[in-house]
Amino acid sequence: MSQLDPTAGRSTVTGNDSELNITITAKRSWFTAAFLMFWMMGWVAGEAFALLMVFGSGSLGISLFVLIWLAAWTAGGLASGATLLWLLIGREIVTIDRQTITVTRSIRLWKRRVDCETGMVKNLRLDSEPKRRYANKQSIQGILSSRHQGVLKFDYGVHTIGFGLDMDQAEARQILDLISERFPDLVNQSPD
């Protein structure tokens, strides 16, 4: 029987009175990562085979079909590769100061970043029931997730921005409480 450490979360928080930096590592699923590694080996073989068919086939019809299939196969492989990298090295970095809130999703060199003016931010909250892409099923959230996904959300004008992908509610509540202490205007304002 394994013992769960109640203090071991996925986030680390640093900062001072004027700035808060929150780093949240991606939720690890070692089974999914192992499956994707195995699948990626088959993907590479399929990619190589399709390229050989495109350039080695004398028939225009077969080459055109394989070229279209290859485009879809390549897109699927790139998405799977991005998901695998997210599972292994992905993280969210949230920086809050008096002027901006920056939410960055990163897998080393590839980053997706949203900068928001603090004065336009309202209603920072815990999303008690984050919506999944597929109803009643687990989906992996990561660098390809839309900017409104996450357990913690705030309104930015007519947009909703989220962070804390796949985060436990208790840990998200601790982060929200910490932000509320340092930047109470972000939490206590409600949308107009």
Side-chain angles (χ1 to χ4, degrees):
M1 179 177 190
S2 66
Q3 181 135 1
L4 186 62
D5 182 358
T7 62
R10 292 182 16 233
S11 63
T12 54
V13 180
T14 59
N16 53 42
D17 290 339
S18 62
E19 183 177 272
L20 198 57
N21 298 301
I22 305 161
T23 302
I24 306 164
T25 58
K27 186 172 185 177
R28 308 288 187 237
S29 171
W30 298 114
F31 174 77
T32 304
F35 174 80
L36 282 173
M37 283 185 219
F38 180 74
W39 187 87
M40 291 296 292
M41 288 187 276
W43 176 78
V44 168
E47 192 87 2
F49 180 71
L51 285 169
L52 287 173
M53 284 190 68
V54 167
F55 294 113
S57 172
S59 170
L60 180 61
I62 291 175
S63 292
L64 187 59
F65 169 78
V66 173
L67 196 59
I68 293 169
W69 178 87
L70 184 62
W73 185 255
T74 300
L78 292 175
S80 295
T83 300
L84 176 60
L85 287 173
W86 177 260
L87 289 171
L88 297 175
I89 59 174
R91 63 187 178 154
E92 288 179 280
I93 303 159
V94 181
T95 304
I96 304 171
D97 61 32
R98 300 281 177 216
Q99 287 78 36
T100 59
I101 294 180
T102 303
V103 178
T104 306
R105 294 185 179 146
S106 167
I107 49 176
R108 305 274 187 215
L109 299 177
W110 184 15
K111 296 178 182 182
R112 294 183 66 203
R113 177 178 161 156
V114 177
D115 295 315
C116 303
E117 295 175 35
T118 307
M120 296 292 292
V121 171
K122 300 201 181 338
N123 194 25
L124 180 61
R125 64 198 175 276
L126 183 66
D127 187 3
S128 58
E129 294 184 28
K131 294 177 182 45
R132 295 289 189 164
R133 184 176 298 158
Y134 306 105
N136 299 324
K137 296 190 180 184
Q138 290 288 339
S139 63
I140 298 170
Q141 296 182 340
I143 194 145
L144 298 176
S145 296
S146 69
R147 69 174 180 244
H148 68 281
Q149 288 183 303
V151 177
L152 291 159
K153 296 189 178 193
F154 59 87
D155 298 324
Y156 184 63
V158 297
H159 304 284
T160 300
I161 308 296
F163 61 95
L165 297 175
D166 288 323
M167 181 173 265
D168 287 336
Q169 294 282 322
E171 186 173 6
R173 168 59 62 195
Q174 287 180 344
I175 290 173
L176 183 62
D177 291 345
L178 184 61
I179 294 171
S180 180
E181 283 176 23
R182 301 261 182 105
F183 303 96
D185 292 347
L186 299 177
V187 179
N188 296 332
Q189 295 175 346
S190 18
D192 295 335

